[in-house]
Amino acid sequence: MAARINCSTSIQNSLWLLNPLNSKATTHFRNRLKFRQNLFSLSKGAMFCTCSTNNDKTNTDSTDSFVLTTPLYYVNAPPHMGSAYTTIAADAIARFQRLSGKKVVFVTGTDEHGEKIAAAAAACGSSPSEHCEVISQAYKTLWKDLDIAYDKFIRTTDPKHEEIVKEFYSRVLANGDIYKADYEGLYCINCEEYKDEKELLENHYCPIHLKPCVARKEDNYFFALSKYQKQLEETLTQNPDFVQPSFRLNEVQSWIKSGLRDFSISRASVDWGIPIPNDDKQTVYVWFDALLGYISALSENKDQPNLQTAVSSGWPASLHLIGKDILRFHAVYWPAMLMSAGLAIPKKVFGHGFLTKDGMKMGKSLGNTLEPNELVHNFGPDAVRYFFLKEVEFGNDGDYSEDRFINIVNAHLANTIGNLLNRTLGLLRKNCQSTLVVDSTIAAEGTAFKDNVEKLVENARFHYENLSLSSACEAVLEIGNAGNSYMDERAPWSLFKQGGAASETAAKDLVIILEAMRIIAIALSPVTPNLSWRI
Ligand code: MSP
């Protein structure tokens, strides 16, 4: 079947990322890009439809749902590149799962209560609720600019969330796991956590935020975490994949082994929070509140907010994506809280590394952040998404530099993938009036190139499935390299010059390469959705 492809210059221009970037020169192209929302809610198996050598698994799992979450971000300050990183990764995974035919619920949101937020609001001269409104909107705007296609955005100040937290608290209380006691300790306001003296730096400085912890004494309600020590140990032994990457499991196991201490889940000195059901002089501790957001997000707005309906709308989550600094909350506190309330624990917690600047965690508290809006404005969302997912091994730390950013995007997207597309379209226009002379599946039949592309696309699928996002990008890039080598070996430009049968062979080669281009576009679409759509 012959098909005509439109290869007008405007399409070539709108693929600007496939041409080399320089630091500031690219901005003017952005206005031309208008993209459809929810582009990739395709039917099952769409991603590897012509190339998968292992469709069976995809088909069996296709009716499953896949619920994944980012952390709920603190609204003490606008988002920075570190907060965007988790969300970009989550969006790529969500898009991959949608392409694989799963019914995806991608949850994100903002964590709006607690002392840190109240202090940030006061510092800006705003009320806490005005402040939360502004910053949570800043998150939503950034997610839109980065092409984050989330399904649910939960704010912990949402009344439905508050109802569900109270109900959850009451369940845990009824189960005998909450008691009142005095507590005296060193508190890090930025972590919103009491710290053990032995984990602190000199002068009681928090090792994450490099700020001093403050001595606190309070009459609080406590959660009986120690009661769940054995159950947690057993869960991790029976289900070693619960914490990933696997090297983080050891850390979690050693925390548990060293003995779990009950933790305080209310604050007498903090007004900006959800009142405790059995004592309105105290508010719920911000972590005991925020973790419930993963469940309350599932509750449909029209529902009377209630724990059971929220749970039956998709709990347990398939995957919590978090940074390594909040692993203890997700892999120890949260499962124990759920066990106490008689609810299932999430299937997997993945703790990724930090984006660093000069070796230090990039963060709002340290003030060494990278401005995501500026990066997106200068280079577009696809370049930003691609760089961080390809260049930072998911699970490990990674450093940013603008030179590296530009070099990588140029080398991979412009020189490898862009070059292949431009060469092919150029030859097709010059020699075939931009008409495809043969069906691509027939043209590719029996070629070693096709076998290679099939193998690489299966590698990409495997790596996406296992959250090795950098390796998935690498496999797609390999298809681009293979396509360029195929083009060089076959030299269709000289075959066209010979005319006759040689010319037909050359046209067939172009079709084969364009099919590889189509596969590259789909296989990279979880990472570079705009660019893929344009290709
Ligand atoms: N509000 C809590 C999460 C509650 S979830 C029920 C919180 N918020 S946060 O805004 O401080 O951090 C949110 C996420 O951003 C965390 O996963 C954290 O690891 C991540 N990052 C913040 N800075 C980061 C980097 N510099 N690099 C990578 N991720 C980083 O914790």
Side-chain angles (χ1 to χ4, degrees):
M1 186 206 317
R4 190 172 168 79
I5 56 162
N6 177 357
C7 133
S8 68
T9 42
S10 72
I11 284 195
Q12 298 261 1
N13 284 346
S14 68
L15 287 166
W16 61 277
L17 251 191
L18 299 180
N19 297 318
L21 295 180
N22 48 58
S23 36
K24 303 282 175 234
T26 50
T27 331
H28 66 283
F29 285 116
R30 293 227 57 232
N31 296 339
R32 297 195 192 155
L33 303 175
K34 293 268 185 293
F35 301 103
R36 277 193 355 213
Q37 290 292 309
N38 292 332
L39 182 62
F40 297 99
S41 308
L42 298 181
S43 59
K44 69 178 180 184
M47 181 168 187
F48 302 108
C49 51
T50 56
C51 279
S52 177
T53 50
N54 179 17
N55 271 334
D56 292 349
K57 186 175 180 312
T58 313
N59 289 341
T60 351
D61 291 349
S62 64
T63 52
D64 290 356
S65 66
F66 192 90
V67 177
L68 83 162
T69 67
T70 71
L72 307 188
Y73 299 98
Y74 283 133
V75 292
N76 55 324
H80 60 84
M81 200 52 230
S83 15
Y85 177 62
T86 324
T87 314
I88 291 172
D91 187 61
I93 295 163
R95 286 175 187 271
F96 165 74
Q97 292 292 346
R98 289 189 196 111
L99 282 169
S100 306
K102 298 270 173 72
K103 187 178 169 298
V104 171
V105 183
F106 171 15
V107 173
T108 188
T110 42
D111 184 353
E112 305 191 0
H113 288 130
E115 189 174 351
K116 174 155 82 169
I117 311 302
C124 310
S126 310
S127 71
S129 55
E130 281 163 358
H131 177 81
C132 291
E133 186 65 39
V134 171
I135 306 285
S136 107
Q137 190 51 50
Y139 274 94
K140 285 186 179 166
T141 305
L142 179 63
W143 299 160
K144 187 162 179 282
D145 293 344
L146 277 167
D147 277 315
I148 305 297
Y150 58 79
D151 300 293
K152 308 272 183 190
F153 190 104
I154 184 72
R155 296 180 57 185
T156 57
T157 47
D158 185 324
K160 80 174 174 189
H161 171 78
E162 299 196 4
E163 277 313 303
I164 284 171
V165 171
K166 285 180 184 163
E167 194 185 337
F168 185 91
Y169 184 99
S170 303
R171 265 208 205 187
V172 175
L173 183 68
N175 196 34
D177 287 341
I178 294 179
Y179 62 93
K180 202 169 185 188
D182 275 345
Y183 193 78
E184 192 167 2
L186 290 162
Y187 195 73
C188 172
I189 299 169
N190 286 297
C191 292
E192 291 280 16
E193 189 183 19
Y194 278 106
K195 299 280 185 184
D196 263 349
E197 200 162 343
K198 60 177 184 299
E199 54 182 305
L200 298 179
L201 306 174
E202 222 174 293
N203 298 325
H204 298 155
Y205 271 55
C206 164
I208 299 172
H209 296 100
L210 303 183
K211 300 235 163 88
C213 295
V214 286
R216 284 276 164 86
K217 185 175 183 327
E218 268 192 340
D219 197 14
N220 290 153
Y221 291 93
F222 278 73
F223 171 65
L225 178 67
S226 52
K227 219 173 116 179
Y228 293 91
Q229 165 125 9
K230 193 154 180 287
Q231 213 173 322
L232 283 168
E233 273 169 356
E234 280 167 8
T235 303
L236 290 180
T237 314
Q238 283 157 16
N239 183 8
D241 285 343
F242 175 64
V243 177
Q244 288 200 347
S246 52
F247 57 84
R248 299 213 190 283
L249 175 66
N250 303 336
E251 202 178 347
V252 174
Q253 278 172 322
S254 76
W255 287 331
I256 299 176
K257 218 187 233 149
S258 69
L260 293 178
R261 290 208 319 219
D262 300 350
F263 66 98
S264 123
I265 55 165
S266 74
R267 294 292 180 269
S269 54
V270 180
D271 293 338
W272 181 239
I274 302 173
I276 294 270
N278 58 328
D279 181 347
D280 60 10
K281 290 192 189 58
Q282 301 226 12
T283 53
V284 178
Y285 169 47
V286 45
W287 274 99
F288 199 88
D289 160 352
L291 286 161
L292 263 301
Y294 297 142
I295 294 181
S296 64
L298 301 172
S299 144
E300 297 296 336
N301 282 336
K302 58 183 178 331
D303 290 343
Q304 283 283 70
N306 128 5
L307 190 55
Q308 198 44 52
T309 25
V311 163
S312 45
S313 306
W315 191 257
S318 315
L319 174 66
H320 286 323
L321 272 192
I322 56 162
K324 62 183 179 182
D325 51 335
I326 55 175
L327 187 59
R328 192 196 307 246
F329 293 102
H330 286 80
V332 182
Y333 291 15
W334 181 222
M337 285 162 59
L338 289 162
M339 286 167 184
S340 170
L343 298 176
I345 66 167
K347 292 179 195 151
K348 195 174 283 179
V349 175
F350 186 100
H352 65 69
F354 288 153
L355 300 188
T356 55
K357 226 174 172 184
D358 308 319
M360 292 299 295
K361 181 196 176 203
M362 200 184 278
K364 297 173 254 197
S365 311
L366 290 185
N368 61 347
T369 55
L370 181 65
E371 188 40 72
N373 291 309
E374 209 174 294
L375 274 186
V376 176
H377 183 258
N378 288 338
F379 303 111
D382 288 312
V384 177
R385 295 168 63 110
Y386 182 82
F387 175 79
F388 287 104
L389 296 185
K390 170 69 181 70
E391 282 308 290
V392 181
E393 186 75 38
F394 200 48
N396 297 337
D397 292 354
D399 221 56
Y400 168 86
S401 91
E402 183 169 296
D403 283 351
R404 223 171 108 240
F405 180 96
I406 291 175
N407 290 340
I408 291 292
V409 172
N410 282 345
H412 298 184
L413 299 183
N415 296 343
T416 302
I417 297 178
N419 196 24
L420 182 61
L421 182 65
N422 289 334
R423 289 166 92 191
T424 317
L425 292 182
L427 284 168
L428 197 75
R429 185 172 43 220
K430 188 165 164 213
N431 300 289
C432 310
Q433 294 80 49
S434 297
T435 300
L436 307 181
V437 295
V438 59
D439 187 294
S440 60
T441 41
I442 297 168
E445 211 39 65
T447 63
F449 177 61
K450 176 177 181 252
D451 293 345
N452 193 20
V453 173
E454 281 184 355
K455 188 189 82 200
L456 290 169
V457 93
E458 173 53 22
N459 288 351
R461 192 199 63 75
F462 174 83
H463 291 307
Y464 277 125
E465 190 75 56
N466 290 294
L467 312 183
S468 311
L469 301 174
S470 170
S471 305
C473 293
E474 186 64 45
V476 181
L477 195 66
E478 280 295 303
I479 303 178
N481 287 329
N484 280 307
S485 304
Y486 185 78
M487 175 82 100
D488 293 342
E489 277 158 26
R490 305 287 299 175
W493 50 90
S494 68
L495 293 175
F496 277 125
K497 278 194 194 125
Q498 291 169 34
S503 212
E504 274 172 36
T505 306
K508 220 171 95 175
D509 284 334
L510 295 185
V511 171
I512 291 173
I513 295 170
L514 282 175
E515 172 64 358
M517 238 12 266
R518 184 186 73 80
I519 289 164
I520 288 172
I522 299 173
L524 204 57
S525 68
V527 178
T528 58
N530 283 336
L531 185 66
S532 292
W533 172 239
R534 289 290 158 177
I535 293 174

